[in-house]
Each structure stands twice: as C-alpha cells, then as structure tokens.
Amino acid sequence: MTNKQTVSELMDHMLQVGNSVETLQILNEEGEIVNEAAMPELTDEQLKELMTRMVWTRVLDQRSISLNRQGRLGFYAPTAGQEASQLASHFALENEDFILPGYRDVPQLIWHGLPLYKAFLWSRGHFVGSQYPEGLNAMMPQIIIGAQIVQTAGVALGLKLRGKNAVALTYTGDGGASQGDFYEGMNFAGAYNAPAIFIVQNNRYAISTPVSKQSKARTIAQKAVAVGIAGIQVDGMDPLAVYAATSEARKRALNGDGPTLIETLTFRYGPHTMAGDDPTRYRTKETENEWEAKDPIVRFRKFLEKKGLWTEEEETKVIEEAKEAIKEAIKLADQTPKQKVTDLIENTFETKTFNLEEQAAIYNEKESK
Amino acid sequence: MAQMTMIQAITDALRVEMKNDPNVLVFGEDVGVNGGVFRATEGLQAEFGEQRVFDTPLAESGIGGLAIGLGLQGFRPVPEIQFFGFLFEIMDSVAGQATRLRHRSGGTMNAPITFRSPFGGGVHTPEMHADSLEGLMAQTPGLKVVIPSTPKDAKGLLIASIRDNDPVVYLEHMKLYRSFREEVPEGDYTIELGKADVKREGKDVSVFAYGAMVHASLKAAEELEKEGVSVEVVDLRTIHPLDIDAIVKSVEKTGRAVVVQEAQKQAGIAANIVAEINDRCILSLEAPVVRVAAADTVFPFSEAETVWLPNHKDVVEGIQKVLNF
C-alpha cells in the first residue's frame, strides 16, 4: 500500500480481501486426493473410525426422521449431508475440548460422550436429556442462534486462564453468521487471544433464506478479517479437508495463536427441522441433486475402498449396530420417569425461594394424589 | 469500622471477595486500569492483576457470553454493565441464558454470576443511563435482583451476591453512590439475599421501598412524624425474590401500606407487592394499598427529572391517601 493510491483504489482493495478466499479441498467427489500437501496424518484405523461415525450418524438421521414421524421423537433438525462437516471436525478434538453446539449439532455431542438416549430425551423435551455425565465437556444444543458464539469466547478464555491444554469449539449455520453475537464472540476471543474454534456450517439455507440474502460477502470465512483472526473456507462435504482445517485450528489455538473461523460448505438433504418445513418451496431439485452428488459418505467410501480399508460387509455391520443402538436408546428414553412440576422447581435455584417453596408444597400435594 | 460512601463499600466488597476466592473475576468496559467510570473498581487491577480484573471490548452481549463461559470453567464472574439502560444489549445472556442454565441442564450446571450495574435518576445523565429496568429482571425466573440503599447494606449484599451460586443482578443507584457516609464493618460479612430491612419502625402505615426511594420514604416519615403519624419504612433490599414474611408482618401490624418505586407505574415491582399483600393479608387492610411511582412515559429528558421523578412529597401524599381513605 502506498500513499499514491486513490481513495477509490483503497476502497477496491478492501473488496478484494473477500474475493481472494480459496476453498480447501483434499478429497474430490471421486474420492481422489487432490491436495497432497494438505493431507492430514491419519492412521488406517482412524480413517475407518471416521467412516464408521459418518455412516452411523447417517443411519441415526434416517431413524430420527422416522421416529419423529411416528411421534416417538420431538424437535429434530436433520443432519444428512453434513456428516463430514460435523463429524470430521469433531474427530479433530480431544475429550478435554469443550463443545458449544447449535441445535443441529447433536451428533457431535453423541460422539463426545452424550448417551444416545439422552439425546433422544432432549429431542422430546425432558430435563434428563440435558443432565450431562461428569467429564462430558459440552453445553446443551443452543436454540438462540449466536448465543453459543459469545459463550465460546468465555469458555475459551476460561481454559486459557486455567492453563488447560484444550480448546472451545462451537458451531453455527450460515444464517447465524448474520447475528451480532457471531461477531462479538469472535471479536472477544480474538481480543483475548483465546483458544477458540468457530465453525460455520454453510448449508446454503437458513430455513428458506438462501445464503446470498444473508450478506453481500462472497464467503463467511472472510468475516474472520473483521476481527483479525485466522479464517478458512473448506469443502464441507470432504471429511479430510474438514479434519485438516479443524486439526490445524486446534494446533494453533493451543500454540497461543488465537482463534480460527472455519466455514464448511455443506448441504442438508432434509428439511430445516421436522416441524413442517418443506424445502421444495425454496430449493430446486437440480440444486439438491447437485449436492447429493457431493455426498461425503460416497466420496469417503470410494477413497477407503481404493485403499482396501472398507467393504460393503463392514458398512452393513455399522448400519446394523447403529439400528440396534438406536432401538435400545429409545427404549431407555421411554423408561425415563415423566417430569413433574416439583422436578422443575427443584432445578431453578440451588436454594428455593419463598414463593417456590410455597409452590413446591402445592405441587407436591397435587402429585401425591 | 470505617466511614464509607456506598461506592467505597462496593469496592471494599469486591476486594474482600477477590481476596477470599481466587475464582472471582471482575471485568467490563473500563473497569481495569481506569478503575471504572464511577471508580467502583478503583485499585483492584493494581492489587489483583490483569488476569483477575480486566477490560472488555465495548459489547454488552459479548460480556454476558464471556461471563457464562467463564462460569462454565468454574470461575465466579462479576461483570459490570456500565449503565443498566444498556441491559437490552445483554438481555439474552442474562434472561435467556444465565438464569436458565441450572434449569435447562437439569441442575447439573449453574451460572454463579453477579451482574453489577448502575442506574437511577437525579443526576442528569444522558439518555438510557438512569432507567429503572429492575421490573424486567424481576419477571425472570432463576434470577435474584438486589438493590441496596446504604453503604453497609451494599457491602454485605454484594458479598452475598458474589457467593450465591445462581445469577444475581446487583443494581447500584447512581444518586446514592456518594450522597452520604455510613459506618461499614471491615472485612467479611454478608447480608442474606431475599431479606428486607425495617429502616424505621412505625405503627400507622407501612411503606415498602427500595433504592433511592428508601431515603425519600424516610424523609416523608420524618415529616409525618411531626403530624403525629408513625410510619414504618421497610427497605426491600432484594426485590426478587421478595421477603414475603417481612411484608406480611409489617402490614398485619399497621393495617395500611404504600409501595414506593422510582420506576414508572407500569414497570418496577410495586404491582407485585400489592398483589402479594392482597393475596396474603387483605383482612388486615384498613385501606387499599397505594402505589407511588413515576408517570408511564419514557424516562425524562434530564431537565425534566425534577418534575418527573417521585420524591418525598409524593410519598407523603401517598401515605395521606391511605390514612384518609
């Protein structure tokens, strides 16, 4: 930059910052490595484990949709299509890392240690679903879009002050990147150089609103520039690219290099949620077909098969195991005692207030009848 | 014992708790090296270091999220909202997140946060500095709302707020920061949250007040004493949850009640107190409960404060109304 530039040139220069963002891809749609230099170091066992989790989670999505239709699950936000984005990013974490998920990010919680029946209870709306086991470093799925982002800055600063060798990682969607809390959370984490990773799963639509209506910015990744942190856009249908980006962000965070924003370009094959959203109102069949051709499981399967690491039998086994686990979990959820008003009163304060004592007595009597 | 203003008592409480508990963190806009816009955190960063007392970017919502996240890592955050009129920026973090955390985690997580914030009229602040928004907070389950009116109360209540394992909004009336001094015990003491304090005993009428209105009520009581009226002034100190026992006890004794607040009539918490009295001791009442409150307009332009804010004359008027019913 020289002082001989015109005002207009300086303004244009700022516009180019966004236009210069490139997308990281390692595995193409044919399951071929297209970027050897960025290839993450994963053992054969790890590669198989990642595939297992993706297949398992695809089954979970299919079964969850069907259980929701039967009225055996409540709130459910479909995940099919986002397996690479959700599970390969989570795969780069350790148990000590703290996850602050959005409402679509239940799979990451499950693989971080949330018992499946609790995930189902959360879907149904039962407090036991949010009673996390000791040592599960995570928050419940966040419904207020953006709140998880500012909270992540706090968790990350907490980890830093405690001197822990861990990161805070959060997820939001493309629509969420328009929220004030999205900017504030990243800005705070940046200002404190806190070990945070912000993942935006850009699945092109916030309910019916396309990403083009969210912002004039060409990418969401470039929003990192506004807060002076590292940012990257990755092919979110490519498990290796998502893993490599998250893993690198984690390494940088632990190294004291501060937070990273990762935008994953992905797609949800299903509706926004199971609460009556109909994607045919706002998405064309062509768009859906185009994204289904990018399926993360298909391309990862091709990659693993070529390496002799994956067979149809293995996949069938994972599918059967998933179905069995889901059946067991739903049974456990069914067996959980129904909630009482006195339970809800109990969980409001550490010590009940005068009015809650009074109300607890009233409901106790009602419940004992 | 030392003579302290309310702001000195607040600083003292923060110092006591920071010494007492290494998890206590103080942060907000300009609370660090500057010592706060009212000097409430004066000297704390020098004494405890930048890891314990630190400035934040200018973003209230971010401050709220920071507090919740730090709470999840076992810290005991004491964030400051520079003026409570800026509550709306942080409303989700307070009312949508911190206050719900214990409940939505089935009792497995909590938010041991004390949100400190100045408010209150009478000092000619610009817009959105002085508004009384405690009524919004009092409608939030899972939250406690504390409003001290004296230096001694301020210290004991703040220490208790910080030690509480649930979120507390602790509101500091700007007019009371330096308006008078009082003997404040040194070191460590607490005043239980949710407990009112009878600031003046009386037998003819009960006045329930909080914040600056406690002093307006005490002044009114003094004036009426000359006319032979004995006024009991009850300082609520915690406006949510209310000290129902203290309210009922006083009304049963006097048979008449006035509720005094600086907030607009449609805001604040006076209506709730009237409802509790009606529910619990209507048979003791000689007259309907009267409310003294501001007009239902936006908080006034600063030159209009004197005609708009309720004062001791309005309290006298309110008391006469219940006496002459």
Side-chain angles (χ1 to χ4, degrees):
Chain A
M1 197 99 350
T2 73
N3 56 8
K4 294 204 179 89
Q5 279 175 297
T6 66
V7 174
S8 179
E9 280 167 349
L10 286 165
M11 288 177 176
D12 282 341
H13 176 77
M14 192 61 90
L15 273 176
Q16 285 155 20
V17 171
N19 292 335
S20 65
V21 174
E22 286 178 37
T23 311
L24 171 71
Q25 187 189 57
I26 295 175
L27 201 60
N28 71 11
E29 290 168 31
E30 298 312 313
E32 297 154 352
I33 301 293
V34 293
N35 184 345
E36 198 68 57
M39 186 67 185
E41 278 175 35
L42 285 165
T43 64
D44 288 353
E45 280 318 300
Q46 286 175 313
L47 290 169
K48 291 181 72 161
E49 174 62 18
L50 180 52
M51 180 63 176
T52 300
R53 293 183 182 190
M54 287 172 48
V55 170
W56 204 100
T57 305
R58 178 67 62 86
V59 176
L60 176 64
D61 183 69
Q62 290 160 349
R63 293 296 304 137
S64 296
I65 287 171
S66 129
L67 287 162
N68 168 282
R69 290 201 174 120
Q70 296 162 28
R72 301 189 69 196
L73 281 183
F75 176 80
Y76 182 67
T79 59
Q82 299 192 196
E83 290 85 357
S85 174
Q86 295 183 319
L87 302 169
S89 57
H90 177 261
F91 202 62
L93 300 186
E94 299 292 335
N95 283 340
E96 306 80 62
D97 295 328
F98 197 103
I99 304 179
L100 294 98
Y103 50 75
R104 202 180 300 281
D105 303 308
V106 176
Q108 296 95 306
L109 285 173
I110 293 167
W111 290 108
H112 212 50
L114 178 66
L116 186 56
Y117 86 98
K118 293 210 175 210
F120 287 159
L121 284 172
W122 180 78
S123 160
R124 288 178 175 185
H126 194 303
F127 70 87
V128 169
S130 298
Q131 289 179 323
Y132 284 8
E134 193 76 25
L136 168 56
N137 295 308
M139 267 282 255
M140 297 73 74
Q142 180 58 253
I143 297 293
I144 301 302
I145 296 169
Q148 72 272 36
I149 311 290
V150 281
Q151 290 168 14
T152 296
V155 173
L157 178 60
L159 293 169
K160 184 180 168 178
L161 290 175
R162 294 275 184 225
K164 285 193 186 163
N165 202 38
V167 303
L169 180 143
T170 188
Y171 297 89
T172 190
D174 40 298
S178 301
Q179 287 277 4
D181 276 355
F182 175 73
Y183 169 77
E184 286 187 31
M186 289 200 303
N187 188 52
F188 269 60
Y192 295 123
N193 205 40
I197 303 174
F198 302 95
I199 298 190
V200 175
Q201 302 187 81
N202 178 357
N203 65 18
R204 326 289 306 158
Y205 291 88
I207 307 189
S208 64
T209 306
V211 67
S212 60
K213 295 247 166 73
Q214 294 292 342
S215 173
K216 199 180 174 186
R218 193 182 66 83
T219 70
I220 292 170
Q222 77 199 62
K223 297 193 179 199
V225 175
V227 296
I229 67 172
I232 188 169
Q233 184 185 60
V234 304
D235 178 350
M237 308 301 260
D238 169 2
L240 296 178
V242 174
Y243 176 86
T246 316
S247 180
E248 181 63 23
R250 185 174 188 276
K251 204 158 56 177
R252 293 166 70 105
L254 295 182
N255 201 31
D257 296 331
T260 302
L261 168 63
I262 300 172
E263 175 189 10
T264 65
L265 297 174
T266 184
F267 200 76
R268 60 169 154 84
Y269 297 152
H272 164 66
T273 67
M274 296 304 292
D277 176 46
D278 173 11
T280 64
R281 291 170 74 100
Y282 53 84
R283 285 196 319 217
T284 63
K285 195 74 209 153
E286 291 74 57
T287 308
E288 287 180 4
N289 291 342
E290 181 196 326
W291 280 90
E292 271 166 35
K294 299 178 198 253
D295 193 309
I297 292 179
V298 172
R299 77 171 77 172
F300 204 40
R301 186 190 290 127
K302 284 179 184 165
F303 169 72
L304 292 180
E305 278 173 352
K306 267 181 247 169
K307 287 175 75 87
L309 292 174
W310 197 252
T311 62
E312 207 183 318
E313 292 74 53
E314 277 173 291
E315 187 154 330
T316 310
K317 190 165 158 259
V318 173
I319 292 169
E320 289 314 313
E321 278 169 3
K323 285 182 179 165
E324 196 50 42
I326 291 163
K327 215 185 292 171
E328 284 306 307
I330 275 288
K331 215 183 289 170
L332 262 181
D334 288 343
Q335 286 162 3
T336 305
K338 284 201 171 14
Q339 299 167 99
K340 302 191 299 279
V341 177
T342 46
D343 296 327
L344 305 179
I345 288 174
E346 211 52 56
N347 293 338
T348 300
F349 287 107
E350 184 176 48
T351 312
K352 283 195 278 296
T353 62
F354 183 93
N355 282 10
L356 282 175
E357 282 287 4
E358 221 173 47
Q359 291 160 25
I362 293 166
Y363 282 100
N364 243 323
E365 206 191 320
K366 283 188 185 181
E367 289 162 5
S368 65
K369 275 175 194 163
Chain B
M1 296 280 261
Q3 286 278 327
M4 286 187 190
T5 60
M6 191 165 95
I7 194 113
Q8 288 169 331
I10 287 166
T11 312
D12 195 37
L14 291 169
R15 185 179 291 113
V16 165
E17 271 319 87
M18 292 206 71
K19 258 190 207 155
N20 180 51
D21 182 351
N23 289 315
V24 174
L25 301 178
V26 169
F27 52 90
E29 294 157 11
D30 312 296
V31 303
V33 66
N34 192 42
V37 291
F38 291 105
R39 304 286 170 261
T41 54
E42 175 100 344
L44 295 181
Q45 191 181 67
E47 188 174 345
F48 297 100
E50 282 183 47
Q51 299 237 319
R52 305 269 320 270
V53 182
F54 50 90
D55 292 322
T56 64
L58 203 167
E60 285 74 20
S61 189
I63 292 170
L66 199 69
I68 292 164
L70 287 165
L72 288 171
Q73 287 301 313
F75 288 101
R76 199 168 278 280
V78 188
E80 178 182 296
I81 306 167
Q82 202 161 66
F83 294 94
F84 206 52
F86 312 163
L87 164 71
F88 298 109
E89 304 295 323
I90 187 181
M91 192 68 169
D92 179 58
S93 282
V94 179
Q97 305 290 328
T99 57
R100 299 169 60 95
L101 189 53
R102 184 183 291 279
H103 191 264
R104 62 188 282 261
S105 65
T108 58
M109 299 180 193
N110 66 324
I113 304 169
T114 303
F115 296 93
R116 283 185 46 248
S117 189
F119 80 110
V123 289
H124 299 292
T125 49
E127 269 191 290
M128 292 298 288
H129 283 56
D131 297 57
S132 288
L133 302 171
E134 70 278 6
L136 295 172
M137 299 288 90
Q139 296 209 4
T140 307
L143 182 64
K144 297 189 182 93
V145 187
V146 174
I147 305 183
S149 71
T150 71
K152 192 176 157 195
D153 284 354
K155 182 175 169 184
L157 287 167
L158 182 51
I159 294 176
S161 299
I162 295 171
R163 291 183 189 174
D164 200 285
N165 286 325
D166 289 305
V168 175
V169 164
Y170 180 94
L171 297 174
E172 305 164 5
H173 200 292
M174 281 184 273
K175 186 114 194 263
L176 301 180
Y177 266 155
R178 293 183 174 86
S179 58
F180 68 100
R181 284 172 189 275
E182 185 182 49
E183 286 289 321
V184 175
E186 270 163 46
D188 191 315
Y189 71 97
T190 58
I191 294 173
E192 194 183 337
L193 304 187
K195 293 290 172 209
D197 182 41
V198 179
K199 288 281 194 282
R200 182 189 174 105
E201 298 234 13
K203 55 183 178 28
D204 296 331
V205 56
S206 304
V207 173
F208 300 104
Y210 58 98
M213 290 301 107
V214 170
H215 301 283
S217 302
L218 287 169
K219 198 169 170 190
E222 249 170 65
E223 253 176 44
L224 286 166
E225 192 182 26
K226 292 172 201 154
E227 296 169 25
V229 180
S230 165
V231 179
E232 177 148 299
V233 178
V234 181
D235 180 355
L236 296 166
R237 301 198 294 196
T238 298
I239 60 119
H240 177 63
L242 287 171
D243 187 345
I244 301 290
D245 275 339
I247 293 170
V248 169
K249 200 174 138 204
S250 184
V251 173
E252 283 178 349
K253 180 171 82 173
T254 63
R256 290 182 167 84
V258 176
V259 187
V260 186
Q261 67 179 22
E262 181 175 317
Q264 295 88 338
K265 193 168 188 183
Q266 71 181 54
I269 54 142
N272 192 24
I273 296 175
V274 175
E276 293 284 2
I277 294 171
N278 284 343
D279 282 353
R280 296 169 192 276
C281 38
I282 198 158
L283 295 178
S284 303
L285 288 179
E286 304 286 341
V289 183
V290 161
R291 283 183 279 167
V292 174
D296 285 329
T297 70
V298 166
F299 190 90
F301 293 97
S302 64
E303 284 198 345
E305 274 187 339
T306 46
V307 295
W308 188 89
L309 287 168
N311 59 30
H312 71 282
K313 288 180 201 153
D314 301 306
V315 182
V316 168
E317 222 171 82
I319 292 170
Q320 281 165 342
K321 217 189 279 178
V322 284
L323 289 172
N324 302 326
F325 176 72

